[in-house]
Amino acid sequence: MAEVLVPFQELKDLCASKLVKVGVKPEHAEIVADVLVHADLRGVSSHGVLRTEHYVRRVQEGGINLNPNIAVKETGVVTAIIDGDDGFGHVISKYAMEHAIKKAKEKGVGVVGVINSSHCGALSYYVKQAAEENLIGIAMSHTDKVVVPFGGAKPFFGTNPIAYGFPAMKHKPVILDMATSNVAFGKILHARETGKSIPADWGVDSNGRPTTNPYEVEALLPFAGPKGYGLAMVVDIFSGILVGAAFGPHIVPMYGEYNKKRKLGHFYCAINPAAFIDVHSFLSNMDRMIDEIHECQPAEGFSKVMVPGEPEQLHEEERMKNGVPVPESVYNYLTQDRQI
């Protein structure tokens, strides 16, 4: 399917407008749209504006609380639990990381668990919040079962992403944001939207067999076999069991049961380098590490060795200038009620 190039601010406005029309508070719609377009700018379309239609449906069917009372329970000097009251995960998560950042600046570390949330989008957005304050950011979130455990044929854990953000001085932050599956399920959705086939190591069919047809995918595969499977369990412990949320097969699914509150858990942490080392020294050594990685001899077929998150940063720079490619079906959905 064809794609449409859309200026990033227009795309953000279209997304926010779509949400406001179904009763989302403008300030909340703005945050959700900002997180979604952040993903599209970075080339992570699986977590971009294609999710808007899903959120609208969940709002319309009662699966998201439009007027949440987001409450903070201080559980220790550097720890807290935030109850999102079933609101938008993007809004709750941005607030949670802001709270972790505040604690990190005051006490060296801020660790915030989140309960009663919903899908929060790309975790890179939240670790970037910390990195822009010269702090290290860590984020994790469990999701509903869609990934087969190593050696299994049926799903147990979710894609269970984890992200880290590290500030530098002259360079942009190093950001690692990855699903513990080979890919996020949103990439399967994007392949369906664009009519493309997928690699055989992305997902399996109803019989647990690998498939290249995105419409046949019933579950995803963990990355690196037992390693991705093990990390998925770690993420579910941190963002599920540790904070008092559900885990694995007990989580309300994202697709279907749109009237149910998902009660998701997340885990956010901000670390102040100043608690360990002179900040200037930390930032300058980050720059040195990045420079030395860039100086590594590239392998055949590569023009340059990059650090985690750098390809996404280059996408962002290009798309902010030239527009964001959006599947035509998604663009049509976002603009169908637009007033000229």
Side-chain angles (χ1 to χ4, degrees):
M1 182 176 289
E3 293 184 320
V4 181
L5 274 180
V6 187
F8 79 94
Q9 186 60 55
E10 178 186 347
L11 189 59
K12 190 184 298 185
D13 293 342
L14 285 171
C15 180
S17 176
K18 201 76 177 179
L19 294 168
V20 169
K21 285 177 180 175
V22 293
V24 180
K25 295 178 180 179
E27 59 270 30
H28 287 188
E30 179 68 23
I31 292 171
V32 175
D34 198 40
V35 178
L36 296 184
V37 174
H38 158 85
D40 274 318
L41 282 169
R42 291 172 62 83
V44 188
S45 301
S46 59
H47 285 64
V49 296
L50 69 77
R51 300 274 185 170
T52 309
E53 186 171 4
H54 168 80
Y55 298 143
V56 166
R57 181 172 180 181
R58 190 166 283 280
V59 165
Q60 291 174 326
E61 297 195 23
I64 293 178
N65 181 3
L66 295 182
N67 295 288
N69 178 26
I70 301 174
V72 180
K73 180 182 179 181
E74 302 291 350
T75 57
V77 176
V78 298
T79 58
I81 290 283
I82 289 180
D83 186 334
D85 195 25
D86 303 307
F88 272 100
H90 318 70
V91 177
I92 300 162
S93 293
K94 184 177 183 182
Y95 179 73
M97 183 54 90
E98 287 172 351
H99 198 67
I101 288 170
K102 180 181 178 182
K103 283 182 173 289
K105 287 183 175 181
E106 295 174 352
K107 304 296 182 181
V109 178
V111 183
V112 177
V114 173
I115 57 173
N116 296 325
S117 186
S118 61
H119 189 255
C120 65
L123 295 183
S124 56
Y125 184 93
Y126 311 108
V127 297
K128 186 180 178 183
Q129 282 181 257
E132 288 177 342
E133 297 289 335
N134 283 339
L135 305 174
I136 296 169
I138 302 173
M140 303 180 208
S141 179
H142 63 189
T143 64
D144 53 302
K145 66 173 185 177
V146 72
V147 182
V148 294
F150 181 68
K154 297 295 181 181
F156 186 92
F157 288 121
T159 55
N160 290 13
I162 185 169
Y164 297 86
F166 300 93
M169 190 176 296
K170 69 176 183 179
H171 289 291
K172 291 184 177 181
V174 174
I175 293 178
L176 173 64
D177 181 3
M178 52 178 262
T180 51
S181 57
N182 248 356
V183 294
F185 197 81
K187 288 196 174 181
I188 305 296
L189 299 179
H190 190 255
R192 292 175 182 175
E193 288 284 351
T194 54
K196 297 177 180 177
S197 61
I198 59 172
D201 60 354
W202 280 17
V204 296
D205 62 20
S206 58
N207 296 309
R209 293 190 294 255
T211 178
T212 59
N213 184 343
Y215 289 97
E216 292 180 352
V217 173
E218 295 291 332
L220 302 175
L221 288 161
F223 87 87
K227 296 180 181 179
Y229 163 53
L231 274 178
M233 186 172 182
V234 168
V235 170
D236 224 325
I237 293 169
F238 271 101
S239 56
I241 293 175
L242 180 64
V243 301
F247 67 87
H250 307 287
I251 298 170
V252 174
M254 183 167 185
Y255 297 97
E257 302 183 53
Y258 294 97
N259 62 319
K260 290 186 177 180
K261 307 296 194 297
R262 297 194 66 206
K263 306 291 183 183
L264 292 185
H266 316 303
F267 181 87
Y268 296 104
C269 178
I271 301 171
N272 192 340
F276 299 88
I277 189 173
D278 174 71
V279 174
H280 184 275
S281 177
F282 175 83
L283 296 175
S284 62
N285 275 322
M286 283 297 303
D287 280 338
R288 181 182 175 187
M289 175 185 280
I290 295 168
D291 287 336
E292 290 185 5
I293 288 173
H294 285 165
E295 291 169 2
C296 288
Q297 179 179 338
E300 185 177 349
F302 292 84
S303 60
K304 179 183 179 181
V305 179
M306 292 191 260
V307 298
E310 192 170 357
E312 290 83 358
Q313 290 168 356
L314 294 174
H315 274 303
E316 183 174 7
E317 291 171 6
E318 186 274 328
R319 291 181 175 190
M320 287 189 75
K321 292 178 183 177
N322 302 318
V324 181
V326 178
E328 190 173 34
S329 60
V330 174
Y331 181 74
N332 289 341
Y333 171 77
L334 293 173
T335 59
Q336 66 185 12
D337 299 321
R338 181 170 59 174
Q339 295 181 352
I340 306 299

